[in-house]
Amino acid sequence: MKVANEVIELLVQSAGTWLFEGHRSGLTDREWMALRFLARANRFSKTPSALATYLGTTRTSASQIAAVLAEKGLLTRKASTEDKRSIALSVTPQGTKFLDRDPISALRDQVVILELADRTRLRDALRQALRRLDTALRRHHTDVCSECMFLAERSKQKGSHFECRLFRKELALKETELLCTHFERRT
Ligand code: SF4
């Protein structure tokens, strides 16, 4: 229990380096979370409802956050090519540059300099804890395709390619590394 308490305390204190009240570098922490998510989201998750799922808020609140980011020139809102009834939220080049000022970068920089084996163990341990929490709370978290039950690898003559069996769409290898709010973990 002692180690578990220390881990929780360290997680809380590390979150304190990027969660804050008011504005930092021109955005609230919610706006930073939204911009960061949309920069890492796959094409099925760049929508106001996916953003709402990720932030754990309502679609109206997510749309308001997207509107603030769009006003600052960090996002565009256009009709989705995947679903004409939906809006696609895309980070602009200005938004990508703005992410250089992301307050979470300081923590990421410290994770990057860990040994690869330690980084991988940390990632896997946090993912496992989150999965158990999902089961207990009957929710699911946002994650990448490689951990998802809908990912299928097909082989073609010139190498393999991937398919999302939920959306029935092909996925490039790079897309499988992006965040998806429709993710369902493998059992
Ligand atoms: S395979 Fe899963 S995570 Fe990937 S796009 Fe499909 S639903 Fe989303």
Side-chain angles (χ1 to χ4, degrees):
M1 199 66 176
K2 179 177 174 289
V3 175
N5 284 338
E6 282 181 24
V7 170
I8 297 304
E9 185 52 41
L10 291 168
L11 283 172
V12 169
Q13 290 193 49
S14 61
T17 63
W18 54 273
L19 279 175
F20 47 86
E21 286 182 18
H23 289 64
R24 188 182 292 177
S25 304
L27 297 181
T28 64
D29 62 350
R30 270 298 169 93
E31 290 159 4
W32 272 118
M33 278 177 80
L35 187 63
R36 199 179 293 134
F37 165 69
L38 291 167
R40 287 261 295 126
N42 70 8
R43 63 191 142 125
F44 310 115
S45 302
K46 291 177 188 279
T47 64
S49 49
L51 179 60
T53 300
Y54 182 77
L55 296 176
T57 188
T58 62
R59 197 179 181 286
T60 305
S61 296
S63 295
Q64 285 167 348
I65 290 170
V68 170
L69 295 175
E71 258 172 49
K72 292 177 185 283
L74 307 176
L75 274 192
T76 57
R77 293 176 295 172
K78 291 184 184 155
S80 167
T81 51
E82 297 296 327
D83 176 0
K84 296 287 180 222
R85 295 161 301 174
S86 186
I87 300 290
L89 304 172
S90 304
V91 177
T92 61
Q94 192 183 334
T96 304
K97 190 155 176 36
F98 197 82
L99 279 161
D100 291 344
R101 294 157 59 181
D102 187 347
I104 212 169
S105 300
L107 179 59
R108 187 188 301 120
D109 291 347
Q110 296 309 314
V111 175
V112 164
I113 58 175
L114 294 175
E115 292 288 335
L116 177 60
D118 290 340
R119 232 182 302 154
T120 306
R121 263 197 297 273
L122 181 60
R123 179 200 64 188
D124 294 345
L126 285 174
R127 182 172 272 141
Q128 198 179 10
L130 205 50
R131 282 179 174 178
R132 290 193 178 139
L133 209 51
D134 286 349
T135 305
L137 299 177
R138 295 188 185 171
R139 43 152 265 172
H140 74 278
H141 70 273
T142 295
D143 214 324
V144 294
C145 294
S146 57
E147 301 294 315
C148 178
M149 64 185 286
F150 296 119
L151 184 73
E153 189 171 355
R154 313 270 187 231
S155 53
K156 269 183 173 175
Q157 276 183 336
K158 289 184 183 174
S160 59
H161 74 292
F162 299 91
E163 184 185 325
C164 169
R165 286 182 287 131
L166 178 65
F167 291 102
R168 297 186 180 171
K169 300 268 184 181
E170 280 200 20
L171 299 168
L173 175 62
K174 223 171 169 186
E175 284 184 288
T176 65
E177 295 161 10
L178 299 176
L179 292 173
C180 183
T181 55
H182 307 275
F183 159 87
E184 287 286 346
R185 72 184 163 93
R186 292 196 180 105
T187 49

